[in-house]
Amino acid sequence: MVIGVVAGAVVLALLVIVGVFKLMWRVAEPNEALIISGSNHRTEGLEEGMGFRIVTGRGTLVLPGVQAVRKLSLDLNETELHVDCVTHQGIPLKVRGVVIFKVGDDFVSIANAARRFLDQQKLMSERVHNVFAGHLRSIVGGLTVEDMIRDREKLTGQTRAACGTEMEKLGLIVDSLQIHEIEDPTGYIRNLAAPHAAAVQRDARIAQAEANRLATEAEQQSFARMAEATRDSEILQAGYQAERDKAAAKARQAGPLADAAARQEVVVQETRVAELEAHRREQQLQADVRKPADAKAYEKRTLAEAERDARISAAQANAKETELAAAAEATRVKTAAAAEAEATKTRGAAAAEATRATGEAEAAAAQAKGLAEAEATRAQGLAEAEAIKARAAALADNQEAVVAQQLAEKWPEIVQAGASAFGNVDNMVLLNGADGMADMFAKALTMGGTGLGLARQLLSSMNQNAAPAAGTAGLNGFVPPRPEKVAVEQDEG
């Protein structure tokens, strides 16, 4: 029982000791400092006989009733600056900023702050505002508006430097000082920025206009490339369609062209047969003509006429062949041009080409037809000229035979004309009888022979005169008279 009482007393004593220790032990939080006063204490870095002790971040024993314990906050504090200032230029401004501060972590700063703000910690922001407001007005008074606008860091640095000593005496340190805004009630800053704003606005408008121009040029170039691509595509499509239409037109015209080619070959072969036949006849006539001189001119004239007819036939055949070929070509070109024009009628770019192709086809057809007609006329004229030349050559080679033939044919009339001198004689006296009659008839016949000689001389003189005349006609463009005309005139002479 005694042991139990002793044990209870010990436990009670322990409990009392623990309670008393708990009442005497104080612990400082990380964001606070304990200010213990009531006895003389010496703190490192502080003067002797300060009368209070500072404890941070640890625990300490405090004698209740003998010592007093109070807490000083080490948290950050913030105060806003709303200061009306006047610059060196006399321009009123309103400066808006914020100051973030706290009690210093060293014992000296804590001691200074404890002496000044231990019971007035809520007034700490107001006191700091007043300190900074005074120094800020002083600093702004020595600056111009331009300096403040262009170098706010300079304003901030000067303000912190000016307030540093006083803040140190208060045991405070400035963590941050920011100038948020500088208000200008007079509009000086706005007017100061107006030229720059106008220049910036001008440059912006110029840049925007240049950008719009470049964009418009790019868009127009893009539209032009699109139009060019569309045009090239349509041209290619039109070309392909024209080729298809041309191939179809050629296919449709293959039959008519084949028939025309076959007819042309037939005409060519017939022309060659006619030429060979004419040549054969000419050779046959040349081989068989061995008649007297009075028939040679007739034969040569006949051969010349036959040759002329053969040449005319050949020329007509050639002209017909050329005309058929030209007509076929013109029809083909015209059909192809019409097909191409029809295919490209809906395409404006190819309409003019189709019209021009049709016109060229019609012009080519007309030209080919005219050339064919001209060639036929020329061939006919050449054939007639060859015939006239042959007859003239025959007359020149067999002049006497022709004259003899014509005189033989006209001899009865010549004798009749010579004897007409006796027709008006009523009475004729013959001196020699039968011999006189014979002499008379001999003289009449002699007159006929004399007429024959005169005819020959006349023809010879006409031929001599005709040669220079022919040369002159050849020079002056005169066409000599046809041999038929000359022969008639000789007969009449």
Side-chain angles (χ1 to χ4, degrees):
M1 185 174 180
V2 174
I3 296 173
V5 172
V6 172
V10 171
V11 171
L12 181 61
L14 291 175
L15 291 176
V16 171
I17 293 172
V18 171
V20 172
F21 180 80
K22 187 175 180 181
L23 290 174
M24 297 174 60
W25 187 256
R26 296 288 186 273
V27 178
E29 299 292 336
N31 60 341
E32 65 183 6
L34 296 179
I35 307 300
I36 302 172
S37 60
S39 62
N40 291 328
H41 298 281
R42 183 176 179 178
T43 304
E44 184 178 358
L46 298 176
E47 65 274 13
E48 297 182 358
M50 185 174 58
F52 59 90
R53 181 162 54 96
I54 300 173
V55 178
T56 59
R58 60 186 181 84
T60 185
L61 289 175
V62 178
L63 298 177
V66 178
Q67 297 175 336
V69 179
R70 282 175 291 183
K71 296 180 180 180
L72 180 64
S73 175
L74 302 180
D75 290 336
L76 286 176
N77 294 279
E78 177 181 325
T79 181
E80 292 186 357
L81 297 177
H82 297 276
V83 183
D84 294 334
C85 306
V86 178
T87 65
H88 179 71
Q89 300 160 312
I91 299 173
L93 296 177
K94 293 182 179 181
V95 180
R96 302 288 181 264
V98 63
V99 179
I100 298 176
F101 63 94
K102 66 182 292 294
V103 177
D105 295 331
D106 58 288
F107 288 158
V108 175
S109 297
I110 295 174
N112 292 335
R115 287 193 184 102
R116 292 167 176 81
F117 302 110
L118 186 61
D119 293 333
Q120 300 178 358
Q121 295 186 37
K122 294 181 179 181
L123 300 176
M124 189 180 299
S125 298
E126 183 179 352
R127 302 289 187 271
V128 171
H129 179 273
N130 294 332
V131 171
F132 274 90
H135 286 286
L136 188 59
R137 289 190 184 95
S138 176
I139 294 171
V140 170
L143 298 175
T144 63
V145 178
E146 289 81 357
D147 295 335
M148 295 175 61
I149 294 173
R150 295 169 184 171
D151 192 2
R152 289 192 181 186
E153 189 64 29
K154 179 180 179 180
L155 176 62
T156 302
Q158 290 182 0
T159 304
R160 294 185 66 170
C163 298
T165 303
E166 295 186 8
M167 293 293 288
E168 184 178 355
K169 291 179 181 180
L170 296 175
L172 302 176
I173 58 175
V174 178
D175 280 353
S176 177
L177 171 60
Q178 298 293 331
I179 303 300
H180 291 165
E181 185 178 2
I182 298 176
E183 297 180 359
D184 178 18
T186 62
Y188 180 85
I189 297 176
R190 182 172 61 255
N191 294 330
L192 186 66
H196 301 285
V200 171
Q201 185 177 7
R202 178 200 62 200
D203 296 339
R205 291 180 62 185
I206 292 174
Q208 184 64 35
E210 183 67 16
N212 293 336
R213 183 183 66 80
L214 294 176
T216 303
E217 289 181 356
E219 290 178 355
Q220 295 301 322
Q221 291 177 0
S222 177
F223 292 154
R225 287 193 293 269
M226 291 172 60
E228 183 179 0
T230 303
R231 181 202 64 188
D232 295 340
S233 176
E234 291 179 354
I235 290 174
L236 289 176
Q237 292 178 8
Y240 295 150
Q241 185 63 35
E243 291 179 0
R244 289 195 295 269
D245 295 339
K246 185 177 180 181
K250 285 184 178 180
R252 288 193 299 269
Q253 304 234 346
L257 288 175
D259 295 339
R263 290 195 300 271
Q264 179 181 357
E265 186 65 25
V266 170
V267 172
V268 170
Q269 294 300 327
E270 289 178 352
T271 304
R272 290 181 180 177
V273 170
E275 290 178 354
L276 293 175
E277 183 65 22
H279 184 69
R280 184 189 65 78
R281 289 181 181 179
E282 182 181 358
Q283 295 297 327
Q284 186 67 31
L285 289 173
Q286 290 180 359
D288 294 343
V289 174
R290 294 295 184 267
K291 296 181 180 181
D294 55 342
K296 189 176 292 186
Y298 177 77
E299 291 175 355
K300 287 189 176 182
R301 185 167 60 250
T302 304
L303 291 175
E305 291 178 355
E307 185 177 0
R308 180 199 64 189
D309 295 338
R311 290 179 180 271
I312 291 174
S313 299
Q316 290 177 351
N318 290 331
K320 187 65 176 177
E321 175 186 351
T322 305
E323 183 177 359
L324 289 175
E329 180 66 17
T331 303
R332 183 189 68 78
V333 174
K334 185 175 181 181
T335 304
E340 184 175 359
E342 183 65 23
T344 57
K345 182 172 63 177
T346 57
R347 302 176 180 89
E353 183 66 20
T355 303
R356 185 180 65 81
T358 305
E360 289 181 356
E362 293 178 354
Q367 183 179 3
K369 187 174 181 181
L371 289 175
E373 293 177 355
E375 186 66 23
T377 305
R378 179 175 174 275
Q380 184 176 0
L382 290 175
E384 292 179 357
E386 289 293 334
I388 294 172
K389 183 177 180 182
R391 294 177 64 184
L395 181 60
D397 294 340
N398 302 284
Q399 177 179 350
E400 294 182 0
V402 173
V403 172
Q405 179 183 357
Q406 292 178 354
L407 288 177
E409 294 175 355
K410 301 294 183 178
W411 188 254
E413 298 177 2
I414 294 172
V415 174
Q416 184 179 358
S420 63
F422 298 98
N424 296 322
V425 178
D426 295 333
N427 296 313
M428 182 180 297
V429 179
L430 300 174
L431 299 177
N432 296 329
D435 293 335
M437 183 62 69
D439 291 338
M440 183 181 60
F441 282 108
K443 289 181 179 181
L445 293 175
T446 302
M447 291 175 63
T450 303
L452 178 60
L454 291 174
R456 291 179 177 176
Q457 293 177 1
L458 178 60
L459 183 60
S460 176
S461 64
M462 290 177 63
N463 290 333
Q464 292 177 359
N465 295 328
T472 305
L475 293 174
N476 298 329
F478 174 73
V479 179
R482 298 176 59 181
E484 293 85 350
K485 183 68 176 181
V486 175
V488 174
E489 291 177 354
Q490 291 175 356
D491 292 343
E492 292 178 356

